[in-house]
Amino acid sequence: MTRPALPFEPVLRRVGAAADRIGVEAYAVGGAVRDALLGRATTDLDVVAVGPGAGVALAEATARDVGARAPAVYPAFGTAAVTVPRPALERFLGGAEDVPERLVIEFVGARRESYRADSRKPIVEDGTLAEDLARRDFTVNALASSLNGDRFGEVVDPFGGLGDLEAGRLKTPLDPAETFADDPLRMFRAARFASQLGFEVVPEAVSAMEAQAGRVEILSQERVTDELSKLLASPSPSTGLGLLYRTGLLERVLPELTRLAGVEEVGGRAHKDNFWHTLEVVDNLVHLQRAVGVGERADGYDLWLRWAALLHDVGKYVTKRYERGAGWTFHGHEDVGPREIIPAVFRRLKLPLGDPLDFVQTVVRLHHRPAALVDEDVTDSAVRRLLMDAGDDVDDLMLLVRADVTSKNARRVRRYLAGFDRVERRFAEVEERDRMRNWQPPVDGDEMQERLGLGEGVAVGMLKAWVREAVLDGEVPNEHDAAWAYVLARKDEAVRRGALFDDALRTLSGPERAATGAVKEALFWDDLPADDDAARAHVAAIKAAALAARRAG
């Protein structure tokens, strides 16, 4: 008789004792049993109690027995959750290592479900254990392990899940067309489990996924996005992503990625398939992260870096060009992607728009920059700029850059990676000498306004930009007194240019204001004539050129 070593067994024995006392059958089900049989760690504890109202009743009895607070009860679903605090866990688990801060046990009564075609919300009724297991997504998750008395740990397997577990097979308990039609999220779970467990989805289930792909329209975006994140957090994201692509599901949720698929050829010159390249980059990143200590399931910014890898080339679709002599180019894709496409993806997938989005945009925008620094004669100025622009994200950036090397030419791969080793050594040298990471210029705008008597405006903006560039270029030491001397030397020119900008702005009205940015850029960085009239003529020419370009566009 198969009896897996269930996780948190002393706690689950308390659940079983409570079940015996109130006279109900209780079983650990789903992921806890599957992972115990596979030898995988888990804190995913779901308990099914057989009988009307048994789930809530067992949760209440368990909470009393383990010294937890009263369970959180969800009457509409017949479910309850007991949170076992760490002090209680330490008492039950003795000297076990890695005791979590809390353990949540989910309780539910055995039930059967039926669905309407236009909704994924089931009609739920009390049921038997077999009926409860039949409604689960895959046979390897339709395993139950008894928690009662002498039967503790005994596995109930009505659908052949043990054999499928042994074979590494993902198969539905019922007809896959019915299983996926009832809850289309199960198709995304198939892809996720394939990536997490390394299992193969059986052909009939794959065919059902293709046939039922349109059903994803009834799913909430949050549920789909959660599955995509779990898939990306897995040891082999390309396995599940490839399955979603082949079954037509990925195109429905992430078309920005699937439109990268395919190869075009002109005159015998073809570009690589950027979709499959992307999946290879994601897997490469997983291996690199594992080498630096990221665990079996990535989370936090390790996971956001995988999102960055997944989206790093989405700008290539809109920037792809064939240039005679040069071949296929994707100029500017590293700018278009993070500026236009990635924010739209985050909004549609309901991913967070704060720091995680900023992080993904930053590393994608910068992912070509390190390649420009591999030459031996690269300047300290270029190194300083990348360190400053990347800040604390520079180490993650370099992981992404290394993962992006997918050439099949081993010699070329070695050359690229050796070049990135040199870049990282230069980072260390410049960082130690100049302290550029998360750098801010030694003189800020507040000091300029206070000591120079200038109001907030273009002149102060120019001085801030100029001193920043002067330090980065090595013209001015990265220290306050030298930077302040530079500001004093450039103050009058900044004031003059600020006045020229104000004059130009007064001449712009209506549609002509579209030239404001070009005028400002010219006044910040162009070599202006010393004569004011000649300088105004130069600004007028910039304005005219910008407006002409806009009309032509």
Side-chain angles (χ1 to χ4, degrees), residues 81-370:
V82 173
T83 300
V84 185
R86 180 170 184 149
L89 288 175
E90 290 175 335
R91 187 168 67 252
F92 298 135
L93 301 177
E97 297 181 0
D98 301 325
V99 176
E101 284 299 316
R102 64 186 64 83
L103 177 68
V104 178
I105 309 174
E106 302 280 350
F107 293 81
V108 65
R111 57 191 182 179
R112 62 175 179 266
E113 297 177 346
S114 58
Y115 290 80
R116 298 186 304 272
D118 61 346
S119 173
R120 65 147 303 275
K121 295 181 179 179
I123 300 168
V124 180
E125 301 171 282
D126 292 327
T128 65
L129 177 65
E131 287 173 326
D132 189 277
L133 297 177
R135 69 183 180 80
R136 297 184 180 267
D137 48 12
F138 302 105
T139 60
V140 297
N141 295 331
L143 298 166
S145 183
S146 176
L147 300 180
N148 294 93
D150 292 341
R151 294 181 58 214
F152 186 91
E154 181 180 313
V155 172
V156 178
D157 178 22
F159 300 104
L162 289 172
D164 291 334
L165 204 63
E166 180 70 24
R169 193 164 50 215
L170 287 172
K171 185 178 178 182
T172 57
L174 306 177
D175 183 329
E178 178 184 347
T179 296
F180 295 152
D182 283 348
D183 185 357
L185 192 73
R186 291 166 176 164
M187 296 185 285
F188 289 95
R189 287 169 63 84
R192 191 244 293 183
F193 287 130
S195 286
Q196 281 183 338
L197 304 176
F199 284 14
E200 180 182 359
V201 182
V202 297
E204 57 268 30
V206 173
S207 297
M209 290 170 70
E210 294 173 351
Q212 297 287 341
R215 290 281 288 162
V216 302
E217 305 299 331
I218 69 170
L219 294 172
S220 71
Q221 185 60 62
E222 290 86 351
R223 295 182 78 215
V224 173
T225 297
D226 183 56
E227 285 298 326
L228 290 176
S229 285
K230 289 176 179 177
L231 190 161
L232 280 176
S234 74
S236 180
S238 69
T239 300
L241 290 168
L243 176 61
L244 291 177
Y245 172 72
R246 289 189 294 271
T247 54
L249 287 159
L250 192 61
E251 183 176 6
R252 294 175 179 274
V253 297
L254 204 50
E256 297 85 353
L257 186 62
T258 59
R259 67 188 184 183
L260 297 176
V263 174
E264 285 191 62
E265 183 176 328
V266 175
R269 303 183 73 170
H271 61 77
K272 64 187 173 187
D273 188 309
N274 286 302
F275 172 76
W276 294 105
H277 159 75
T278 294
L279 267 55
E280 189 174 354
V281 172
V282 176
D283 276 1
N284 285 349
L285 177 61
V286 172
H287 297 313
L288 291 169
Q289 288 181 321
R290 293 293 293 275
V292 296
V294 175
E296 184 80 7
R297 300 168 185 168
D299 58 11
Y301 279 83
D302 296 321
L303 177 57
W304 292 120
L305 187 59
R306 295 189 189 183
W307 274 103
L310 187 69
L311 301 174
H312 82 284
D313 273 349
V314 291
K316 283 187 172 180
Y317 177 78
V318 295
T319 58
K320 181 169 67 174
R321 302 287 185 274
Y322 182 81
E323 298 178 2
R324 192 177 302 276
W328 292 99
T329 67
F330 304 90
H331 296 314
H333 76 275
E334 70 278 12
D335 173 61
V336 173
R339 179 166 46 85
E340 299 178 8
I341 301 173
I342 291 175
V345 169
F346 266 58
R347 285 192 293 271
R348 192 182 71 251
L349 297 188
K350 297 189 177 179
L351 290 164
L353 301 180
D355 291 341
L357 173 58
D358 290 343
F359 170 79
V360 171
Q361 288 177 295
T362 295
V363 294
V364 173
R365 187 176 65 252
L366 299 177
H367 81 274
H368 274 197
R369 290 267 295 276

